[in-house]
Amino acid sequence: IVLTIDPESGTAGMLSMPRDLWVPIPGYEENRINVAQFLGDLKNYPGGGPALAKKTVSYNFGFPVHY
C-alpha cells in the first residue's frame, strides 16, 4: 500500500497494489511486483530490496516513493 499525504490541502490517499501485478523491474526483466524486493536483496542492489521496490513502484506508476 502506498500512502500519499498533501499537507497543504490536508488530504491523503492510499493505493493498494496486488503483489502478483506484472511490471517491468528497472534493470531486470518483467516480473511480479513483489519480486523486486527479493531481487534487490539477492543481487546486492544499492539499498537492497527496499530500494529496488521503491524504484519499481516509481518507475511504473510515475510518482516518487520517499519512504
Side-chain angles (χ1 to χ4, degrees):
I1 296 176
V2 177
L3 171 67
T4 182
I5 299 172
D6 183 350
E8 290 182 16
S9 67
T11 60
M14 293 173 56
L15 174 65
S16 177
M17 290 176 240
R19 66 181 181 183
D20 291 332
L21 181 66
W22 280 83
V23 297
I25 299 174
Y28 300 92
E29 59 190 34
E30 187 172 298
N31 210 320
R32 293 182 316 262
I33 197 165
N34 65 328
V35 172
Q37 174 85 27
F38 172 76
L39 284 175
D41 287 338
L42 180 70
K43 305 288 186 176
N44 294 319
Y45 186 82
L52 185 55
K54 286 174 25 178
K55 184 174 184 177
T56 300
V57 170
S58 294
Y59 178 82
N60 285 283
F61 295 96
F63 55 81
V65 177
H66 301 289
Y67 304 101

